[in-house]
Amino acid sequence: MRILLAGGAGYIGSHTAVELILAGHDVVIVDNYSNSSPEAVERIEEVSGRSVVAYEADVRDHDAVCSIMREYPVDCVVHFAGLKAVGESVRKPVEYYRNNIDTTLTLLECMRERGVHNIVFSSSATVYGEENPYPYVETMPRGRCSNPYGWTKFMMEQILEDAARADAELSVVLLRYFNPIGAHPSGRMGEDPQGIPNNLMPYVAQVAVGRRDHLTIFGNDYPTPDGTCRRDYIHVMDLAAGHVKAVEYTAAHKGTEIFNLGTGTPCSVLEIVRAFEENSGVPVKYEFGPRRDGDLAEFWADADKARDELGWTAARTLSDMCRDSWNWQRQNPKGYES
Ligand code: NAD
Ligand code: UD1
């Protein structure tokens, strides 16, 4: 199959590109590099051993996306192209709604014009909201989100479901990611956040490499075994493999299907710090701080549906995640700029 990767130069898109290529598919990347760089595309080529078609374009640009689809007819679209920083979304809600909703609408319009019927969407566990008990199961209703970023995911899921309801030809797969961490085992590709990282693993890795003085652990008085929050961390290479399954699934199904992509096992912030220290051999200085607004004490995935219907399970361990994150950070202390 040939697959258009909207936002394919980003963290998850770049790892997915490699896995799709190695599974025998062709990819076409469209990215405006607002949160990535062309260097990521070069690394995809280096790691996969294949040259890749990549366009610098805004996925909201209808003419640009349609003309790319005309030049390169595709069988499926994977939609990664979104703004994703929770705190920034609270400060800039209009930009978040504009970017994330418009990219989705433009892709759907261009797909209709070009006769493309299959789309895989990067959603998030955040759509379960605060009300649902964990582990989260796909049959649970979407909950109330705590920030505009989460609401964009909520709304984009709704838009895609409505589109599939109206068009019997459409196949929509909503992938709800839990907490992706890790990097390509080669150390050539990984997560390259701009500025101060918001997420735990890049922060830990930057402390270890000496870019930050210490990690602040947001709260140690949660009702969890060690008092720190627990999440379902998943290796980005497992996530990438899940996309290969999802893309292939769209070719044989119609309508909307939702899949959690997680390991099904929770892990605390302190467990992450300890596992990182063990696997890197580098101490990670930390101190406890107050809770972060909007954080839930714990949640994790019920990942059975992806296992049963996609034939996918997360195979990599927490040690793999920490080792590969460190390998990437150590080799690229300043990310793709290094
Ligand atoms: P990322 O920022 O690394 O990748 C997103 C890519 O989309 C970037 O390369 C960016 O330049 C591009 N982009 C954004 N807006 C665009 C536009 N209008 N036109 C063209 N390109 C555009 O993020 P990621 O971590 O790879 O996440 C990919 C997707 O998965 C996002 O939609 C994100 O919300 C979702 N997601 C991520 C996580 C996570 O923890 N990383 C968790 C759940 C869901
Ligand atoms: C966050 C977002 C979520 C998004 C996900 C992936 C919030 C409330 N949720 O999830 O919508 O889908 O990122 O992008 O922001 N932590 C620290 N110190 C740090 C950073 C994090 O202690 O410097 C803790 C957090 O309190 C949390 C855990 O580490 O318990 C994981 O944090 P993070 O990586 O930001 O992911 P989530 O908060 O789960």
Side-chain angles (χ1 to χ4, degrees):
M1 294 166 76
R2 184 189 282 149
I3 301 119
L4 185 139
L5 304 181
Y11 172 45
I12 300 167
S14 57
H15 291 79
T16 300
V18 167
E19 288 299 277
L20 283 167
I21 293 167
L22 295 182
H25 300 293
D26 286 330
V27 301
V28 176
I29 290 174
V30 185
D31 203 301
N32 63 1
Y33 303 121
S34 58
N35 196 39
S36 55
S37 74
E39 178 64 25
V41 177
E42 289 180 23
R43 302 282 178 100
I44 294 169
E45 294 181 320
E46 179 191 317
V47 169
S48 69
R50 286 257 305 275
S51 65
V52 167
V53 177
Y55 286 92
E56 179 169 356
D58 196 303
V59 173
R60 292 171 293 177
D61 182 339
H62 179 277
D63 291 348
V65 173
C66 280
S67 88
I68 292 165
M69 286 186 180
R70 201 172 300 117
E71 195 169 348
Y72 288 94
V74 295
D75 305 291
C76 183
V77 169
V78 186
H79 180 13
F80 300 103
L83 301 177
K84 62 161 187 177
V86 172
E88 185 182 60
S89 80
V90 176
R91 293 190 302 277
K92 299 180 175 175
V94 177
E95 285 82 349
Y96 270 66
Y97 286 111
R98 172 64 78 196
N99 191 74
N100 292 0
I101 307 287
D102 268 8
T103 50
T104 308
L105 295 174
T106 302
L107 285 171
L108 282 170
E109 284 169 353
C110 293
M111 286 169 62
R112 189 168 52 195
E113 282 177 48
R114 302 307 311 154
V116 180
H117 302 302
N118 304 331
I119 181 165
V120 174
F121 174 62
S122 297
S123 192
S124 166
T126 198
V127 302
Y128 287 105
E130 296 175 10
E131 300 87 350
N132 283 305
Y134 34 81
Y136 292 150
V137 187
E138 293 89 343
T139 48
M140 290 172 175
R142 285 187 282 267
R144 280 190 60 75
C145 299
S146 59
N147 57 75
Y149 163 75
W151 282 117
T152 68
K153 292 292 176 198
F154 182 111
M155 291 175 192
M156 290 186 282
E157 284 201 355
Q158 186 68 47
I159 290 167
L160 287 158
E161 276 181 5
D162 288 343
R165 217 168 278 128
D167 177 356
E169 286 290 293
L170 213 54
S171 176
V172 171
V173 170
L174 308 177
L175 295 179
R176 292 181 179 162
Y177 311 155
F178 280 68
N179 287 59
I181 60 173
H184 193 272
S186 64
R188 300 295 291 157
M189 292 168 48
E191 187 170 11
D192 183 16
Q194 316 290 304
I196 301 169
N198 299 302
N199 297 118
L200 178 63
M201 184 53 94
Y203 208 107
V204 167
Q206 290 194 10
V207 171
V209 86
R211 273 176 77 178
R212 316 262 160 220
D213 178 63
H214 69 279
L215 169 75
T216 301
I217 295 182
F218 300 138
N220 62 343
D221 58 352
Y222 282 100
T224 58
D226 64 19
T228 66
C229 293
R230 295 200 299 169
R231 296 287 182 271
D232 185 338
Y233 295 95
I234 173 170
H235 199 298
V236 68
M237 295 304 294
D238 280 331
L239 203 63
H243 286 75
V244 176
K245 296 283 190 186
V247 162
E248 291 168 354
Y249 180 94
T250 61
H253 295 81
K254 300 289 172 212
T256 302
E257 282 298 337
I258 303 174
F259 295 102
N260 288 337
L261 293 185
T263 63
T265 308
C267 170
S268 76
V269 178
L270 276 174
E271 285 171 323
I272 287 278
V273 170
R274 291 196 186 112
F276 190 94
E277 289 181 328
E278 271 167 31
N279 286 279
S280 65
V282 180
V284 175
K285 195 169 142 195
Y286 67 85
E287 58 188 42
F288 293 115
R291 293 179 177 195
R292 180 172 70 177
D293 276 354
D295 270 346
L296 298 180
E298 54 186 350
F299 61 82
W300 60 94
D302 178 320
D304 288 357
K305 184 177 174 192
R307 180 197 61 205
D308 296 343
E309 294 182 31
L310 288 182
W312 171 90
T313 47
R316 280 119 177 135
T317 63
L318 186 58
S319 293
D320 297 330
M321 300 181 213
C322 292
R323 191 199 54 238
D324 292 337
S325 288
W326 175 236
N327 198 24
W328 153 254
Q329 188 70 66
R330 190 172 49 84
Q331 289 186 41
N332 308 267
K334 292 185 178 163
Y336 287 116
E337 240 183 64
S338 306

